[in-house]
Amino acid sequence: MKFWQRYAMKKIRSLSKLTRTYISALSLIALLTLATFITMHLIILTQKDSALLVNLSGSQRWLSQKAALLSVELVYITDSAERDQSRKQLLSIINQLQRNHQALIEDTPNIISSQSLTPQMQKVFFSPPINLDTRFNKYTSEALALANEPEHLLTPDNPHFTYLLQNSENLLESLDQIVSMFQKESEAKVQRLGMVEITSGAAILLTLAFLGLYIFRPLADTLLNERSQLEKANQELSLLSSIDGLTGIANRRHFDQFLEQLWLHSARNSEPIAIILCDIDFFKAYNDTYGHLQGDECLRQVASSLKNSLKRPSDFVARYGGEEFVVVLPNTDIEGALTVAETLRVNLESLEIPHRLSSITPKVTISLGVAIGHADHTYQPKTLVEAADSALYQAKQEGRNRYKLANFAG
């Protein structure tokens, strides 16, 4: 019992260790997968933000051109209705230009990740020689002033109009530069994140390889080893449950299982089965004379003699109960069974185990009942055993230390 308790405790500790290792491996994989997911998410956001910035800066160039064209229309159109329409369009364009400009230079919800300008972009927007922020504000303020001029001041020599014509081309060049810079920065960010993604993917592959080599492979080996040990323990337990603890041969339970399987096999192949029941003569008197310890030793010697007397690997011997033993001989006819029975009797008698209270000879002997039949589905194996038992009883009645063949029609 202590062996099985120690075995169970060892298995529990082993399973606990395997569980911790497995959970750690899964946690690491989950962490790497989450990191990869976050990286992919950042790539998507960066691409989206970068696309918005590029589109926004590109839109500024187009809107600036549109503002310049509307300014020309506002000055040279003579029709009042058309001039009012151009004025409204110009005011709308200026408003859009100003909103876009604020979105580009300030943190704003319009930019999904609220990116701030890089140092290089800040230099372009706020430092000489370009100083785009000042230039852009000046340009839009002049356009706004022109849009708000009364009709009689909308002439080709209007100072606001003159400023717009003179500075429109320079502003467009600066805006082209901004678009190019945003595009390059966007490509650089995506490339960096792409490298992060590749690095994360490589890290996952290396981690999986590491887990396979140093965790899952040892884990699988451990499980196989545990399975092997468990199967071995089960085999030992099964063997212990089928062996008689005193004599070391098969017990009654094992005999019943063996005979039932042999019965089915012999029925399919129409083979005879011989059963020999053996009983130690005057064993109770032996125990009373020599004591139970010596009686146990006698049982062990008898079991050993019976086992050693059987020559075929298929022959079977078991302790049937008390001082009774049973021998099973597969595919054995009457002549073969009687020969084995006599061999069993003679070999035991030749041991000359002293038995002074025996009424037939001063040594230990056995009586044997032999029954032979063909396995059949019409009757059970116990019928053959009962026939052997009846023959054993008859052998005892006729003087012991002999065998008797049962009259069994099977």
Side-chain angles (χ1 to χ4, degrees):
M1 187 64 180
K2 290 183 179 179
F3 166 77
W4 290 106
Q5 288 176 344
R6 290 195 301 270
Y7 180 81
M9 290 301 297
K10 181 180 179 183
K11 295 304 141 186
I12 291 174
R13 288 193 296 268
S14 178
L15 287 174
S16 178
K17 181 179 179 181
L18 289 176
T19 301
R20 289 195 300 271
T21 304
Y22 184 66
I23 291 176
S24 299
L26 287 181
S27 300
L28 184 56
I29 292 176
L31 183 62
L32 287 170
T33 303
L34 180 62
T36 303
F37 172 79
I38 293 174
T39 302
M40 289 295 298
H41 184 65
L42 289 175
I43 289 176
I44 293 172
L45 286 180
T46 300
Q47 288 178 329
K48 189 173 182 180
D49 290 348
S50 299
L52 180 58
L53 289 171
V54 171
N55 290 337
L56 204 58
S57 58
S59 175
Q60 289 295 80
R61 188 186 188 286
W62 176 82
L63 290 172
S64 298
Q65 285 181 311
K66 183 68 174 176
L69 290 174
L70 288 171
S71 298
V72 173
E73 290 181 3
L74 188 63
V75 171
Y76 288 101
I77 289 177
T78 58
D79 184 76
S80 297
E82 292 182 0
R83 177 174 286 175
D84 289 342
Q85 182 67 28
S86 296
R87 190 190 301 273
K88 290 179 182 179
Q89 292 181 10
L90 179 57
L91 288 171
S92 176
I93 292 294
I94 294 170
N95 183 53
Q96 185 64 47
L97 279 167
Q98 291 173 337
R99 288 204 309 270
N100 289 353
H101 184 67
Q102 291 301 116
L104 287 172
I105 66 174
E106 297 179 359
D107 289 339
T108 170
N110 290 334
I111 306 300
I112 295 174
S113 61
S114 298
Q115 298 180 31
S116 58
L117 293 176
T118 63
Q120 185 179 5
M121 296 295 290
Q122 288 181 355
K123 184 177 180 181
V124 172
F125 271 98
F126 303 110
S127 300
I130 299 177
N131 205 348
L132 182 59
D133 180 61
T134 302
R135 184 184 301 178
F136 184 83
N137 288 332
K138 176 65 175 175
Y139 187 85
T140 54
S141 64
E142 292 291 334
L144 182 61
L146 179 66
N148 290 319
E149 289 278 52
E151 289 190 14
H152 67 278
L153 295 179
L154 294 175
T155 60
D157 59 351
N158 184 288
H160 303 303
F161 180 64
T162 302
Y163 179 87
L164 293 176
L165 291 180
Q166 292 176 352
N167 292 277
S168 178
E169 191 66 29
N170 290 335
L171 180 64
L172 291 177
E173 291 178 0
S174 298
L175 289 174
D176 285 339
Q177 184 178 355
I178 289 295
V179 172
S180 177
M181 291 178 67
F182 273 128
Q183 182 68 39
K184 290 179 179 178
E185 287 187 358
S186 173
E187 292 173 355
K189 289 177 182 177
V190 172
Q191 187 176 8
R192 286 195 298 270
L193 287 172
M195 290 301 298
V196 172
E197 181 185 11
I198 293 173
T199 303
S200 299
I204 289 177
L205 292 177
L206 289 175
T207 303
L208 289 175
F210 173 81
L211 293 178
L213 290 174
Y214 297 103
I215 293 182
F216 289 122
R217 183 177 177 181
L219 186 63
D221 292 341
T222 302
L223 289 175
L224 290 175
N225 184 49
E226 293 292 334
R227 178 182 176 183
S228 176
Q229 291 184 15
L230 184 59
E231 289 178 349
K232 183 178 179 180
N234 286 334
Q235 290 174 357
E236 292 177 358
L237 182 61
S238 176
L239 181 62
L240 289 174
S241 67
S242 64
I243 296 299
D244 178 63
L246 177 64
T247 61
I249 61 175
N251 58 18
R252 174 67 178 273
R253 177 175 174 272
H254 192 187
F255 161 72
D256 291 337
Q257 294 174 344
F258 177 83
L259 182 59
E260 187 170 349
Q261 294 174 359
L262 178 63
W263 193 267
L264 295 174
H265 173 79
S266 299
R268 288 194 298 267
N269 296 283
S270 300
E271 296 174 351
I273 299 175
I275 299 289
I276 304 175
L277 273 178
C278 313
D279 184 80
I280 301 176
D281 295 326
F282 306 111
F283 186 71
K284 184 178 183 303
Y286 185 93
N287 262 341
D288 294 340
T289 303
Y290 298 98
H292 289 286
L293 292 179
Q294 190 60 38
D296 289 346
E297 180 59 27
C298 177
L299 289 172
R300 283 191 285 267
Q301 289 181 283
V302 171
S304 178
S305 176
L306 295 176
K307 182 178 180 180
N308 293 333
S309 298
L310 301 177
K311 303 303 180 184
R312 298 185 305 178
S314 59
D315 295 341
F316 180 88
V317 61
R319 186 179 180 189
Y320 193 69
E323 68 272 19
E324 286 189 319
F325 298 85
V326 62
V327 173
V328 183
L329 305 174
N331 195 20
T332 302
D333 56 15
I334 294 177
E335 181 180 358
L338 295 181
T339 299
V340 172
E342 178 62 13
T343 300
L344 296 174
R345 187 194 69 79
V346 171
N347 287 348
L348 178 62
E349 188 177 18
S350 67
L351 294 179
E352 296 188 349
I353 303 172
H355 189 357
R356 62 175 179 267
L357 288 186
S358 174
S359 61
I360 52 176
T361 180
K363 51 188 173 182
V364 173
T365 58
I366 55 173
S367 299
L368 306 96
V370 182
I372 301 170
H374 283 80
D376 196 333
H377 297 295
T378 59
Y379 59 94
Q380 298 296 320
K382 67 177 183 179
T383 307
L384 187 61
V385 177
E386 290 170 353
D389 189 51
S390 296
L392 172 62
Y393 178 78
Q394 189 175 356
K396 289 182 179 181
Q397 292 296 315
E398 293 182 5
R400 290 185 169 82
N401 192 24
R402 68 189 65 216
Y403 64 81
K404 192 69 179 178
L405 178 64
N407 183 17
F408 182 75

